Amino acid sequence: MSKKKIIYTRQEMFEFNRAILMKRGVTIEEIATICYQQQSKYNDNVTMGLCIESVEKILSLRDIFHHVQLACEIDRLAEAHAFEGPIQDIILEDLGLFGIDETMGLDVSGLYGTIGQTNFGDIDVNKRGIVKTLNDLGKEDDKCHTFLDDIVGAIAAAASTRVAQVLNEDLAHEVEGIERFSIFDL
Ligand code: MG
């Protein structure tokens, strides 16, 4: 029996994530835009480049890889009516009291600190950018974005937190005048 591949490099994981998100209708730029809109309210130094870099970095992490791949597959399987029993329509219809999608989102959004979960709550409630688009499209027959909207919102929230952490680190170094060490890069 041939050995199955289950371990991937960060580059491979990033590319798998970018591809599956694209297949489900989401680009890195759309996620980064939510991040930019959220953080630019608090800091004038936020750039779209830093937001994109943050989203890309997050998409290369193993835990996030597992979350993104699983979330996208659950939605696809629900669209294909591949689940059996009550959970099929609970997921397909995006029942309001079904919270496992939000649990996954909370898990991902806390990556760079607790504030990420507050950011995630804001994106989840106010349905910003691509999250609103996904939410609206998900209401169409046989379209399911139950897990995808939360994962996308959570990545934006985590990226937003990373941006804040990077800018704070820069600020601290400005004050201290100490050279940065690569092991402390976020
Ligand atoms: Mg959802």
Side-chain angles (χ1 to χ4, degrees):
M1 205 170 69
S2 66
K3 203 168 182 312
K4 290 189 169 59
K5 181 173 166 73
I6 52 174
I7 302 172
Y8 297 91
T9 65
R10 288 188 66 176
Q11 183 69 35
E12 286 174 322
M13 292 188 287
F14 168 69
E15 280 164 18
F16 269 120
N17 276 342
R18 183 173 55 184
I20 203 166
L21 286 170
M22 194 82 93
K23 201 174 115 192
R24 300 297 301 170
V26 180
T27 65
I28 286 171
E29 286 72 19
E30 285 168 322
I31 304 177
T33 299
I34 300 180
C35 165
Y36 180 81
Q37 287 167 349
Q38 199 168 49
Q39 274 313 305
S40 56
K41 281 189 299 189
Y42 307 110
N43 199 314
D44 294 338
N45 296 327
V46 179
T47 63
M48 193 61 185
L50 181 56
C51 296
I52 288 175
E53 175 197 287
S54 298
V55 172
E56 289 182 339
K57 192 148 198 164
I58 289 165
L59 289 177
S60 76
L61 299 174
R62 199 168 308 277
D63 268 30
I64 308 303
F65 172 61
H66 296 151
H67 273 88
V68 169
Q69 297 292 316
L70 180 63
C72 289
E73 275 301 281
I74 293 173
D75 284 353
R76 185 185 67 80
L77 291 169
E79 287 176 357
H81 297 266
F83 289 103
E84 288 183 0
I87 205 70
Q88 167 61 47
D89 285 341
I90 289 172
I91 295 174
L92 186 61
E93 296 303 314
D94 200 2
L95 173 69
L97 288 175
F98 177 78
I100 301 172
D101 46 346
E102 273 92 3
T103 305
M104 281 175 73
L106 280 172
D107 204 9
V108 167
S109 62
L111 185 63
Y112 284 101
T114 320
I115 200 77
Q117 297 180 332
T118 313
N119 291 341
F120 173 62
D122 168 50
I123 295 164
D124 187 39
V125 170
N126 295 310
K127 306 260 180 271
R128 298 172 185 282
I130 184 67
V131 171
K132 176 162 174 33
T133 308
L134 290 173
N135 192 65
D136 292 347
L137 287 173
K139 292 192 172 79
E140 288 176 12
D141 281 353
D142 289 339
K143 262 272 160 219
C144 182
H145 292 146
T146 300
F147 281 81
L148 184 62
D149 61 353
D150 293 288
I151 281 297
V152 164
I155 294 166
S160 188
T161 314
R162 180 181 182 270
V163 166
Q165 298 280 17
V166 168
L167 294 177
N168 271 274
E169 182 70 7
D170 288 348
L171 193 64
H173 283 277
E174 227 170 71
V175 175
E176 305 282 335
I178 305 165
E179 215 176 295
R180 287 179 69 154
F181 291 95
S182 63
I183 54 162
F184 295 127
D185 280 350
L186 292 154

